[in-house]
Coordinates of all heavy atoms in Angstrom, one line a residue:
V9 N 2.3 0.6 5.5 CA 1.2 0.3 4.7 C 1.7 -0.1 3.3 O 2.5 0.6 2.7 CB 0.2 1.4 4.5 CG1 -1.0 1.0 3.6 CG2 -0.4 1.8 5.9
W10 N 1.3 -1.3 2.8 CA 1.6 -1.8 1.5 C 0.3 -1.8 0.7 O -0.8 -2.0 1.3 CB 2.2 -3.2 1.5 CG 3.6 -3.3 1.8 CD1 4.6 -3.4 0.8 CD2 4.3 -3.3 3.0 NE1 5.8 -3.4 1.4 CE2 5.7 -3.4 2.8 CE3 3.9 -3.2 4.3 CZ2 6.6 -3.4 3.8 CZ3 4.8 -3.2 5.3 CH2 6.2 -3.3 5.0
T11 N 0.4 -1.5 -0.6 CA -0.8 -1.6 -1.4 C -0.5 -2.5 -2.6 O 0.6 -2.6 -3.0 CB -1.2 -0.2 -1.9 OG1 -0.1 0.4 -2.6 CG2 -1.6 0.7 -0.8
G12 N -1.6 -3.1 -3.2 CA -1.4 -3.9 -4.4 C -2.6 -4.8 -4.6 O -3.6 -4.6 -4.1
N13 N -2.4 -5.8 -5.5 CA -3.4 -6.7 -5.9 C -3.0 -8.0 -6.3 O -1.8 -8.3 -6.4 CB -4.1 -6.1 -7.2 CG -5.0 -4.9 -6.9 OD1 -6.0 -5.2 -6.1 ND2 -4.8 -3.7 -7.4
K14 N -3.9 -8.9 -6.5 CA -3.7 -10.3 -7.0 C -3.5 -10.2 -8.5 O -4.3 -9.5 -9.1 CB -4.8 -11.2 -6.6 CG -4.5 -12.7 -7.0 CD -5.6 -13.6 -6.4 CE -5.2 -15.0 -6.6 NZ -6.2 -15.9 -6.0
K15 N -2.5 -10.8 -9.1 CA -2.3 -10.7 -10.5 C -2.9 -11.9 -11.2 O -3.4 -12.8 -10.6 CB -0.8 -10.7 -10.8 CG 0.0 -9.6 -10.0 CD -0.4 -8.3 -10.5 CE 0.4 -7.2 -9.8 NZ -0.1 -5.9 -10.1
E16 N -3.0 -11.8 -12.5 CA -3.6 -12.9 -13.4 C -2.9 -14.2 -13.1 O -3.6 -15.2 -13.2 CB -3.5 -12.5 -14.8 CG -4.6 -11.4 -15.2 CD -4.5 -11.1 -16.7 OE1 -4.1 -11.9 -17.5 OE2 -5.0 -10.0 -17.0
N17 N -1.6 -14.2 -12.8 CA -0.9 -15.5 -12.6 C -1.1 -16.1 -11.2 O -0.6 -17.1 -10.9 CB 0.6 -15.3 -12.9 CG 1.3 -14.3 -11.9 OD1 0.6 -13.8 -11.0 ND2 2.6 -14.1 -12.1
G18 N -1.9 -15.4 -10.4 CA -2.2 -15.9 -9.1 C -1.4 -15.3 -8.0 O -1.6 -15.5 -6.8
N19 N -0.3 -14.7 -8.3 CA 0.6 -14.0 -7.3 C -0.1 -12.8 -6.7 O -0.8 -12.1 -7.4 CB 1.9 -13.6 -8.0 CG 2.8 -14.7 -8.4 OD1 2.5 -15.9 -8.2 ND2 3.8 -14.4 -9.1
I20 N 0.1 -12.6 -5.5 CA -0.3 -11.4 -4.8 C 0.9 -10.5 -4.6 O 1.9 -10.9 -4.0 CB -1.0 -11.7 -3.4 CG1 -2.2 -12.6 -3.6 CG2 -1.4 -10.4 -2.7 CD1 -2.8 -13.2 -2.4
V21 N 0.9 -9.3 -5.2 CA 2.0 -8.4 -5.2 C 1.6 -7.1 -4.5 O 0.6 -6.4 -4.9 CB 2.5 -8.1 -6.6 CG1 3.8 -7.3 -6.6 CG2 2.8 -9.5 -7.3
L22 N 2.4 -6.7 -3.5 CA 2.2 -5.4 -2.7 C 3.4 -4.6 -2.7 O 4.5 -5.1 -2.8 CB 1.8 -5.8 -1.3 CG 0.7 -6.8 -1.1 CD1 0.7 -7.4 0.3 CD2 -0.7 -6.1 -1.4
Y23 N 3.2 -3.2 -2.7 CA 4.3 -2.3 -2.8 C 4.2 -1.2 -1.6 O 3.2 -0.9 -1.2 CB 4.3 -1.5 -4.1 CG 4.5 -2.3 -5.3 CD1 3.4 -2.9 -5.9 CD2 5.7 -2.5 -5.9 CE1 3.5 -3.7 -7.1 CE2 5.9 -3.3 -7.0 CZ 4.8 -3.9 -7.6 OH 5.0 -4.6 -8.7
K24 N 5.4 -0.8 -1.3 CA 5.5 0.4 -0.4 C 6.7 1.2 -0.9 O 7.8 0.6 -1.2 CB 5.8 -0.1 1.1 CG 5.9 1.1 2.1 CD 6.1 0.6 3.5 CE 7.6 0.3 3.6 NZ 8.1 0.3 5.0
N25 N 6.6 2.5 -1.0 CA 7.7 3.3 -1.4 C 8.8 3.2 -0.4 O 8.6 3.3 0.8 CB 7.3 4.8 -1.6 CG 6.5 5.1 -2.8 OD1 6.7 4.5 -3.9 ND2 5.5 5.9 -2.7
Q26 N 10.0 3.0 -0.9 CA 11.2 2.9 0.0 C 12.5 3.2 -0.8 O 12.7 2.6 -1.9 CB 11.3 1.5 0.6 CG 12.4 1.4 1.6 CD 12.4 0.1 2.3 OE1 11.3 -0.4 2.7 NE2 13.5 -0.6 2.5
K27 N 13.3 4.1 -0.3 CA 14.6 4.4 -0.9 C 15.6 3.3 -0.5 O 15.5 2.8 0.5 CB 15.1 5.8 -0.4 CG 14.3 6.9 -1.0 CD 14.9 8.2 -0.5 CE 14.1 9.4 -1.1 NZ 14.7 10.7 -0.7
A28 N 16.5 3.1 -1.5 CA 17.6 2.2 -1.2 C 18.6 2.9 -0.2 O 18.5 4.2 -0.1 CB 18.4 1.9 -2.5
P29 N 19.5 2.2 0.4 CA 20.5 2.9 1.3 C 21.3 4.0 0.6 O 21.7 4.9 1.3 CB 21.4 1.7 1.7 CG 20.5 0.5 1.6 CD 19.6 0.8 0.4
N30 N 21.5 3.9 -0.7 CA 22.2 5.0 -1.4 C 21.3 6.1 -1.8 O 21.8 7.0 -2.5 CB 23.0 4.4 -2.6 CG 22.0 3.9 -3.7 OD1 20.8 4.1 -3.6 ND2 22.6 3.4 -4.7
G31 N 20.0 6.1 -1.5 CA 19.1 7.2 -1.8 C 18.3 7.0 -3.1 O 17.4 7.8 -3.4
T32 N 18.5 5.9 -3.8 CA 17.8 5.7 -5.0 C 16.3 5.4 -4.7 O 16.0 4.6 -3.8 CB 18.3 4.4 -5.8 OG1 19.7 4.6 -6.0 CG2 17.6 4.2 -7.1
E33 N 15.4 6.1 -5.4 CA 14.0 5.9 -5.3 C 13.6 4.5 -5.7 O 14.1 4.0 -6.6 CB 13.2 6.9 -6.1 CG 13.4 8.4 -5.7 CD 12.7 8.7 -4.4 OE1 11.7 8.0 -4.0 OE2 13.2 9.6 -3.7
G34 N 12.7 3.9 -4.9 CA 12.2 2.6 -5.3 C 11.1 2.1 -4.4 O 10.4 2.9 -3.8
F35 N 10.9 0.8 -4.4 CA 9.8 0.2 -3.6 C 10.4 -1.0 -2.8 O 11.4 -1.6 -3.2 CB 8.8 -0.5 -4.5 CG 8.1 0.4 -5.5 CD1 8.4 0.3 -6.9 CD2 7.2 1.3 -5.1 CE1 7.8 1.1 -7.8 CE2 6.5 2.1 -6.1 CZ 6.9 2.0 -7.4
F36 N 9.7 -1.3 -1.7 CA 9.9 -2.6 -1.1 C 8.7 -3.4 -1.6 O 7.5 -3.0 -1.4 CB 9.9 -2.6 0.4 CG 10.5 -3.8 1.0 CD1 11.8 -4.1 0.8 CD2 9.7 -4.7 1.6 CE1 12.4 -5.3 1.3 CE2 10.2 -5.9 2.1 CZ 11.6 -6.2 2.0
R37 N 8.9 -4.5 -2.4 CA 7.9 -5.3 -3.0 C 7.7 -6.6 -2.3 O 8.7 -7.3 -2.0 CB 8.2 -5.5 -4.5 CG 7.2 -6.3 -5.2 CD 7.6 -6.4 -6.7 NE 8.8 -7.3 -6.8 CZ 9.5 -7.4 -8.0 NH1 9.2 -6.7 -9.0 NH2 10.6 -8.1 -8.0
L38 N 6.5 -7.0 -2.0 CA 6.2 -8.3 -1.3 C 5.4 -9.1 -2.3 O 4.4 -8.6 -2.9 CB 5.4 -8.0 -0.1 CG 5.9 -7.0 1.0 CD1 4.9 -6.9 2.1 CD2 7.2 -7.4 1.5
T39 N 5.8 -10.3 -2.5 CA 5.1 -11.2 -3.4 C 4.8 -12.6 -2.8 O 5.7 -13.2 -2.3 CB 6.0 -11.4 -4.7 OG1 6.3 -10.2 -5.3 CG2 5.2 -12.2 -5.8
F40 N 3.5 -13.0 -2.8 CA 3.1 -14.3 -2.5 C 3.0 -15.1 -3.8 O 2.4 -14.6 -4.8 CB 1.7 -14.3 -1.8 CG 1.7 -13.7 -0.5 CD1 1.5 -12.4 -0.3 CD2 2.0 -14.5 0.7 CE1 1.5 -11.8 1.0 CE2 2.0 -14.0 1.9 CZ 1.7 -12.7 2.1
Y41 N 3.6 -16.3 -3.9 CA 3.6 -17.0 -5.1 C 3.7 -18.5 -4.8 O 3.8 -18.9 -3.7 CB 4.8 -16.6 -6.0 CG 6.2 -16.9 -5.5 CD1 6.9 -18.0 -5.9 CD2 6.7 -16.1 -4.5 CE1 8.2 -18.3 -5.4 CE2 8.0 -16.4 -3.9 CZ 8.7 -17.4 -4.4 OH 9.9 -17.7 -3.9
D42 N 3.6 -19.3 -5.9 CA 3.5 -20.8 -5.8 C 2.4 -21.2 -4.7 O 2.6 -22.1 -3.9 CB 4.8 -21.4 -5.4 CG 5.8 -21.4 -6.5 OD1 5.4 -21.2 -7.6 OD2 7.0 -21.7 -6.2
I43 N 1.3 -20.5 -4.8 CA 0.2 -20.7 -3.8 C -0.6 -21.9 -4.3 O -1.1 -22.0 -5.4 CB -0.7 -19.5 -3.8 CG1 0.1 -18.2 -3.4 CG2 -1.9 -19.7 -2.8 CD1 -0.7 -16.9 -3.6
S44 N -0.7 -22.9 -3.3 CA -1.5 -24.1 -3.6 C -2.0 -24.7 -2.3 O -1.7 -24.1 -1.2 CB -0.6 -25.2 -4.3 OG 0.3 -25.8 -3.4
E45 N -2.7 -25.8 -2.3 CA -3.2 -26.4 -1.1 C -2.1 -27.0 -0.2 O -2.3 -27.3 0.9 CB -4.3 -27.5 -1.4 CG -3.8 -28.7 -2.2 CD -3.7 -28.5 -3.7 OE1 -4.2 -27.5 -4.2 OE2 -3.0 -29.3 -4.3
K46 N -0.9 -27.1 -0.8 CA 0.3 -27.6 -0.1 C 1.0 -26.6 0.6 O 1.8 -26.9 1.5 CB 1.2 -28.4 -1.1 CG 0.6 -29.6 -1.7 CD 1.5 -30.3 -2.6 CE 0.9 -31.5 -3.3 NZ 1.8 -32.1 -4.2
G47 N 0.8 -25.3 0.3 CA 1.5 -24.2 0.9 C 1.7 -23.0 0.0 O 1.0 -22.9 -1.0
Y48 N 2.8 -22.2 0.2 CA 3.0 -21.0 -0.6 C 4.4 -20.5 -0.3 O 5.1 -21.0 0.7 CB 2.0 -19.9 -0.4 CG 1.8 -19.6 1.1 CD1 2.5 -18.6 1.7 CD2 0.9 -20.3 1.9 CE1 2.4 -18.3 3.0 CE2 0.7 -20.0 3.2 CZ 1.4 -19.0 3.8 OH 1.3 -18.7 5.1
K49 N 4.9 -19.6 -1.1 CA 6.1 -18.9 -0.8 C 5.9 -17.4 -0.8 O 4.9 -16.9 -1.4 CB 7.2 -19.3 -1.9 CG 7.6 -20.8 -1.9 CD 8.5 -21.1 -2.9 CE 8.9 -22.6 -2.8 NZ 9.7 -23.0 -3.9
W50 N 6.8 -16.7 -0.2 CA 6.8 -15.2 -0.1 C 8.2 -14.7 -0.2 O 9.1 -15.3 0.2 CB 6.2 -14.9 1.3 CG 6.1 -13.5 1.7 CD1 5.0 -12.7 1.5 CD2 7.1 -12.7 2.3 NE1 5.3 -11.4 2.0 CE2 6.6 -11.4 2.5 CE3 8.4 -12.9 2.6 CZ2 7.3 -10.4 3.0 CZ3 9.2 -11.9 3.2 CH2 8.6 -10.6 3.4
I51 N 8.3 -13.5 -0.9 CA 9.6 -12.9 -1.0 C 9.4 -11.4 -0.8 O 8.5 -10.8 -1.3 CB 10.3 -13.2 -2.3 CG1 11.8 -12.8 -2.2 CG2 9.6 -12.7 -3.5 CD1 12.7 -13.5 -3.3
G52 N 10.3 -10.8 -0.1 CA 10.4 -9.3 0.1 C 11.7 -8.8 -0.7 O 12.8 -9.4 -0.4
E53 N 11.5 -7.8 -1.6 CA 12.6 -7.4 -2.4 C 12.5 -5.9 -2.5 O 11.5 -5.3 -2.6 CB 12.4 -7.9 -3.8 CG 12.3 -9.4 -3.9 CD 11.8 -9.9 -5.2 OE1 10.6 -9.6 -5.5 OE2 12.5 -10.7 -5.9
W54 N 13.7 -5.2 -2.5 CA 13.8 -3.8 -2.9 C 13.9 -3.8 -4.4 O 14.7 -4.6 -5.0 CB 15.0 -3.1 -2.3 CG 15.0 -1.7 -2.7 CD1 14.3 -0.7 -2.0 CD2 15.6 -1.1 -3.8 NE1 14.5 0.5 -2.7 CE2 15.3 0.3 -3.8 CE3 16.4 -1.6 -4.9 CZ2 15.7 1.2 -4.8 CZ3 16.8 -0.7 -5.8 CH2 16.5 0.7 -5.8

């Protein structure tokens, strides 16, 4: 389960708690951006 919202800039950003391989606390963040009638982009990042 990811949770989040649409931001003022139009990006949709979602988070899930996830530790890095070395044990560092963090998130796996999903972002939809460059959204237009032509398409969109998405990125998953720790």
Side-chain angles (χ1 to χ4, degrees):
V9 180
W10 276 262
T11 58
N13 281 299
K14 186 172 187 177
K15 304 297 181 185
E16 286 182 25
N17 65 2
N19 293 352
I20 300 170
V21 183
L22 305 163
Y23 297 89
K24 180 179 84 160
N25 285 323
Q26 183 172 317
K27 289 183 179 181
N30 68 3
T32 303
E33 294 288 333
F35 303 107
F36 196 70
R37 179 177 69 192
L38 309 176
T39 306
F40 290 91
Y41 64 102
D42 286 349
I43 301 168
S44 75
E45 64 280 347
K46 294 179 183 177
Y48 53 91
K49 293 180 181 174
W50 176 96
I51 191 161
E53 305 162 299
W54 182 86

